[in-house]
Amino acid sequence: MSGVAITRYLLANDATLIAVVPADKIKAGVVPINTTLPAISIRQISGIEHEIIRRGSNQLVTDLVQITVLSSTYPQQKSIMNLIRTALPGTRGTVNGFAVDSITPESDGPDFYNEDPVIYEQSIDYMIRFIR
C-alpha cells in the first residue's frame, strides 16, 4: 500500500467528487493522452520510512502525494480542487483496511493552461502518513 493508493481509494469513493470526475478517470500515475476531461492524476513526489528503534513487520511511512486536476475550463478546475479538499479532510483511521496515521494538506501548485488541446491544470500536495 502506498500514499498514492490510499489517496486514490478515498477520492474514487467520494460520491460528490465522482459525480463530477468519474472514478475511472481518477488515475494512479499519469492520465493517458486523449482522455476526456475532467480527470485527476495522483503521483508520489517523495517518501520516507521513519526510523524506529526496533524494526518489525510494520513500518511508519510518510509519502508526499501530488494530486493534479486536468479540466476543460478554469471554473471547473477550481471546483474540482475544492471537491478534493472536501474528500481528503485532515484525518486518521482505517482506509481500505490500512492504518492511516494522518492525511494533511500541504500546498497548492500554480495554475497551468495549455491551448491545444485546451487543458486547465492545477495540483495540490498532501502528506499521507501510514503503516506499511
Side-chain angles (χ1 to χ4, degrees):
M1 188 60 150
S2 70
V4 169
I6 291 166
T7 303
R8 189 197 176 280
Y9 179 85
L10 289 170
L11 295 180
N13 287 282
D14 184 85
T16 307
L17 178 61
I18 62 173
V20 177
V21 182
D24 66 338
K25 292 187 182 180
I26 301 174
K27 303 289 188 183
V30 298
V31 173
I33 294 173
N34 297 326
T35 297
T36 304
L37 300 180
I40 296 173
S41 167
I42 307 164
R43 295 181 286 184
Q44 180 179 331
I45 302 303
S46 64
I48 184 170
E49 287 189 357
H50 298 276
E51 292 186 30
I52 57 175
I53 294 172
R54 186 174 180 186
R55 186 177 177 110
S57 59
N58 295 328
Q59 183 66 36
L60 181 63
V61 176
T62 301
D63 282 354
L64 176 61
V65 173
Q66 184 176 70
I67 305 163
T68 304
V69 172
L70 305 164
S71 68
S72 54
T73 69
Y74 187 74
Q76 184 181 54
Q77 167 197 312
K78 292 302 185 182
S79 174
I80 294 169
M81 290 287 289
N82 286 330
L83 291 172
I84 290 169
R85 286 184 189 91
T86 302
L88 294 175
T91 189
R92 68 181 344 171
T94 302
V95 175
N96 198 22
F98 293 89
V100 176
D101 178 71
S102 60
I103 297 173
T104 54
E106 284 295 303
S107 61
D108 290 5
D111 293 328
F112 289 108
Y113 172 74
N114 184 49
E115 288 186 6
D116 189 22
V118 171
I119 300 174
Y120 292 85
E121 179 179 339
Q122 187 176 17
S123 63
I124 184 170
D125 294 346
Y126 276 83
M127 294 296 265
I128 313 295
R129 181 177 271 192
F130 61 98
I131 302 295
R132 176 169 45 206

